[in-house]
Amino acid sequence: MTRHGGIAALALAAALLTACAPAAEPTSSPSAAPSAPASSSPMPSAPASPPPSALVPDQRRVVAEDLVAPWSIAFAGDRALVSERDTGRVLEVMDGATREVGTIPGVQAHGEGGLLGLAVREEHLYVYLTAGAENRIERYELVGEPGALELGARETILGGLPAAGNHNGGRIAFGPDGMLYATVGDAGQPDAAQDRESLGGKILRLTADGEVPADNPFAASLVYSYGHRNPQGLAWAADGTLYASEFGQDTWDELNVIEPGANYGWPETEGVAGRDGMADPILQWRPAEASPSGIAIVGDTLYLANLRGARLRAVPLDDPAAAVDHLVGEVGRVRDVALAPSGEVWILTNNTDGRGAPRPGDDRIIALGLR
């Protein structure tokens, strides 16, 4: 078992008692989990007071609406950019309205593929997209002033990533080290996740120009971690620890601490397995309960957007098993979550992608207050 195994065992044990919303909020009951692995350490308990940077779900406002299968939020200064998976559009959010910055050429939406993750660095927008038989990462110049942003010159910085109707991964984000990280799903080929020569089922680390960093864990390889099924969330804590959320298959969805060169088990393991040489998650739950996508860290709390299960989960980093759920069934499926420059938590609903039940005005960006 890796050094995360003990943390995972504790988290699994306490997860039997958590993943429910506070009593003041209407919630649905989570699915039952089996008995946790035995542990000689005491079970962590829920904190006596809300975790730092806790949500105030009743303090909410609609930032934008009438989005079409939105997937990712990124900020260029104080201006939000949003990707639409099926239309290929990048939208600028301004004063409760949106305008089109541009349409990414070559996007071919199919199943879970299309225009997926966004990331901004300096004067450039990075996009993760599905184009026929491949996923790729492109970089565009961002030109113009806020309120009139446009896409300039385009450059493909990484192509040939595996693509399929599902398991495309798609999240991209710059880490505190200045490197670009990308989640790549197994594209329906589970064995690729254990093959370090394949980029499927991996978290990748690359320079802003698409090159292999000299300090990557495997020589001349973009692979940062492997053994993933369909990771879709990336976020860093203040101490530099990288977290990732991952869709499981039939048994467990996962929240993982990502270490360079680590193997996260898929398809040989799913959830906490205690197998030598494979990293266990710090938290797991049934896929029917809360299938995860984007994540964001605010202070000591990780916020986890969930599609199936239609909720926003708040995970205290010092006690992951004390997680609580918010907005259960209130706004539908939640694809992404981000900390806005305003100091609010923004969530991106995802009810118009063919798997949700759209309501008038869907899809939306909703801002939530913090205390």
Side-chain angles (χ1 to χ4, degrees):
M1 184 185 299
T2 69
R3 66 188 182 93
H4 292 306
I7 299 174
L10 292 176
L12 176 60
L16 301 178
L17 303 177
T18 63
C20 59
E25 298 179 57
T27 67
S28 59
S29 299
S31 55
S35 299
S39 171
S40 59
S41 301
M43 181 185 299
S45 58
S49 59
S53 303
L55 283 179
V56 185
D58 291 339
Q59 294 181 10
R60 69 181 82 167
R61 63 187 180 91
V62 175
V63 176
E65 57 186 2
D66 296 319
L67 306 175
V68 180
W71 210 91
S72 181
I73 305 172
F75 288 93
D78 62 357
R79 189 55 51 92
L81 301 176
V82 177
S83 62
E84 289 186 332
R85 187 192 70 185
D86 295 348
T87 68
R89 298 193 304 166
V90 176
L91 304 178
E92 182 180 9
V93 180
M94 40 187 285
D95 300 325
T98 60
R99 60 170 295 274
E100 184 176 321
V101 175
T103 298
I104 304 300
V107 171
Q108 295 180 328
H110 174 249
E112 297 173 0
L115 178 58
L116 303 178
L118 302 179
V120 176
R121 180 177 171 84
E122 297 175 346
E123 304 301 318
H124 289 91
L125 174 68
Y126 291 73
V127 304
Y128 187 116
L129 68 140
T130 308
E134 69 170 354
N135 285 307
R136 60 178 181 247
I137 300 174
E138 296 180 344
R139 177 172 63 185
Y140 290 79
E141 291 183 356
L142 269 178
V143 298
E145 298 298 321
L149 292 175
E150 296 180 357
L151 299 180
R154 174 181 65 167
E155 177 184 5
T156 297
I157 66 167
L158 180 62
L161 300 175
N166 52 23
H167 303 185
N168 287 289
R171 194 70 58 188
I172 54 176
F174 280 94
D177 57 3
M179 298 299 169
L180 180 64
Y181 292 73
T183 69
V184 184
D186 68 10
Q189 302 295 321
D191 290 343
Q194 290 294 319
D195 179 2
R196 295 209 307 263
E197 298 301 313
S198 168
L199 297 183
K202 309 295 191 296
I203 293 176
L204 308 181
R205 180 177 183 259
L206 51 154
T207 70
D209 296 322
E211 302 298 325
V212 178
D215 57 348
N216 267 11
F218 305 111
S221 174
L222 294 172
V223 173
Y224 190 71
S225 62
Y226 65 107
H228 299 288
R229 182 177 181 268
N230 191 20
Q232 282 195 6
L234 291 172
W236 287 263
D239 64 0
T241 301
L242 173 58
Y243 293 80
S245 61
E246 183 164 340
F247 284 96
Q249 185 173 27
D250 300 319
T251 308
W252 298 113
D253 287 334
E254 300 178 356
L255 179 64
N256 288 294
V257 168
I258 303 300
E259 293 189 345
N263 179 358
Y264 289 82
W266 177 255
E268 296 181 23
T269 67
E270 185 179 352
V272 175
R275 185 179 298 186
D276 288 343
M278 294 184 179
D280 283 334
I282 63 167
L283 194 63
Q284 66 179 24
W285 58 93
R286 295 294 189 188
E289 179 191 328
S291 290
S293 192
I295 63 176
I297 294 175
V298 183
D300 298 332
T301 303
L302 183 147
Y303 291 100
L304 175 62
N306 291 281
L307 298 163
R308 193 176 178 186
R311 66 193 64 197
L312 180 68
R313 177 161 289 172
V315 182
L317 294 181
D318 61 356
D319 189 3
V324 295
D325 291 344
H326 301 285
L327 306 176
V328 179
E330 294 185 29
V331 299
R333 292 154 51 89
V334 184
R335 170 66 71 178
D336 200 11
V337 55
L339 177 64
S342 64
E344 301 165 302
V345 169
W346 285 17
I347 61 171
L348 186 62
T349 70
N350 194 203
N351 299 314
T352 59
D353 70 346
R355 295 185 175 181
R359 312 170 191 199
D362 274 344
D363 273 308
R364 296 178 169 88
I365 297 173
I366 300 171
L368 305 171
L370 290 168
R371 64 165 177 256

